[in-house]
Coordinates of all heavy atoms in Angstrom, one line a residue:
L4 N 250.6 34.3 15.1 CA 249.4 35.1 14.8 C 249.1 35.1 13.3 O 247.9 35.1 12.9 CB 249.6 36.5 15.3 CG 250.0 36.7 16.7 CD1 250.2 38.2 17.1 CD2 248.9 36.1 17.6
S5 N 250.1 35.0 12.4 CA 249.9 35.0 11.0 C 251.2 34.5 10.3 O 252.3 34.7 10.9 CB 249.4 36.3 10.4 OG 250.5 37.3 10.5
T6 N 251.0 34.0 9.1 CA 252.2 33.7 8.2 C 251.8 34.1 6.8 O 250.7 33.7 6.3 CB 252.5 32.2 8.3 OG1 252.8 31.8 9.6 CG2 253.8 31.9 7.4
R7 N 252.6 34.9 6.2 CA 252.3 35.5 4.9 C 253.4 35.2 3.9 O 254.6 35.4 4.3 CB 252.0 37.0 4.9 CG 250.7 37.3 5.6 CD 250.4 38.8 5.5 NE 249.1 39.2 6.0 CZ 248.8 39.5 7.3 NH1 249.7 39.5 8.2 NH2 247.5 39.8 7.6
R8 N 253.1 34.8 2.7 CA 254.1 34.8 1.6 C 254.2 36.1 1.0 O 253.2 36.7 0.6 CB 253.7 33.7 0.6 CG 254.7 33.6 -0.5 CD 254.4 32.4 -1.4 NE 253.1 32.4 -2.1 CZ 252.7 31.6 -3.1 NH1 253.6 30.7 -3.5 NH2 251.6 31.7 -3.6
I9 N 255.4 36.7 0.8 CA 255.5 38.1 0.3 C 256.1 38.1 -1.1 O 256.3 39.2 -1.6 CB 256.3 39.0 1.3 CG1 257.8 38.6 1.4 CG2 255.6 38.9 2.7 CD1 258.6 39.6 2.2
T10 N 256.5 36.9 -1.6 CA 257.0 36.9 -3.0 C 256.2 35.8 -3.7 O 255.8 34.8 -3.1 CB 258.5 36.6 -3.1 OG1 258.8 35.3 -2.6 CG2 259.3 37.7 -2.4
N11 N 256.1 35.9 -5.0 CA 255.5 34.8 -5.8 C 255.9 35.1 -7.3 O 255.2 35.7 -8.1 CB 254.0 34.9 -5.7 CG 253.3 33.8 -6.4 OD1 253.9 32.8 -6.9 ND2 252.0 33.9 -6.6
D12 N 257.2 34.8 -7.6 CA 257.7 35.1 -8.9 C 258.5 33.9 -9.5 O 258.3 32.8 -9.0 CB 258.6 36.4 -8.8 CG 259.7 36.3 -7.7 OD1 260.2 35.2 -7.6 OD2 259.9 37.3 -7.0
R13 N 259.3 34.2 -10.5 CA 260.0 33.1 -11.2 C 261.4 32.9 -10.6 O 262.2 32.1 -11.2 CB 260.1 33.4 -12.7 CG 258.7 33.7 -13.3 CD 258.9 34.1 -14.8 NE 259.3 32.9 -15.6 CZ 258.6 32.0 -16.1 NH1 257.2 32.1 -15.9 NH2 259.1 31.0 -16.8
H14 N 261.7 33.5 -9.5 CA 263.1 33.4 -8.9 C 263.2 32.5 -7.8 O 262.3 32.0 -7.2 CB 263.5 34.8 -8.5 CG 263.4 35.9 -9.5 ND1 264.3 35.9 -10.6 CD2 262.6 36.9 -9.7 CE1 264.0 36.9 -11.4 NE2 263.0 37.6 -10.9
H15 N 264.5 32.2 -7.5 CA 264.9 31.5 -6.3 C 265.1 32.6 -5.2 O 266.1 33.3 -5.3 CB 266.1 30.6 -6.5 CG 266.5 29.9 -5.3 ND1 267.1 30.4 -4.2 CD2 266.4 28.5 -5.0 CE1 267.4 29.5 -3.3 NE2 267.0 28.3 -3.7
N16 N 264.2 32.7 -4.3 CA 264.2 33.7 -3.2 C 264.6 33.1 -1.9 O 264.0 32.1 -1.5 CB 262.9 34.4 -3.1 CG 262.4 35.1 -4.4 OD1 263.1 35.9 -5.0 ND2 261.3 34.6 -5.0
A17 N 265.6 33.6 -1.3 CA 266.2 32.9 -0.1 C 267.0 33.8 0.8 O 267.3 35.0 0.4 CB 267.0 31.7 -0.5
F18 N 267.5 33.3 2.0 CA 268.5 33.9 2.8 C 268.1 35.3 3.3 O 268.6 36.3 2.8 CB 269.9 33.9 2.1 CG 270.2 32.6 1.3 CD1 270.4 32.7 -0.1 CD2 270.2 31.4 1.9 CE1 270.7 31.6 -0.8 CE2 270.4 30.2 1.2 CZ 270.7 30.3 -0.2
T19 N 267.3 35.3 4.3 CA 266.6 36.5 4.6 C 267.2 37.3 5.8 O 267.9 36.7 6.7 CB 265.1 36.2 4.9 OG1 265.0 35.6 6.2 CG2 264.5 35.3 3.9

Side-chain angles (χ1 to χ4, degrees):
L4 302 178
S5 67
T6 303
R7 289 185 171 92
R8 178 171 62 168
I9 69 170
T10 63
N11 185 12
D12 52 40
R13 305 179 67 88
H14 301 291
H15 183 284
N16 301 301
F18 319 122
T19 74

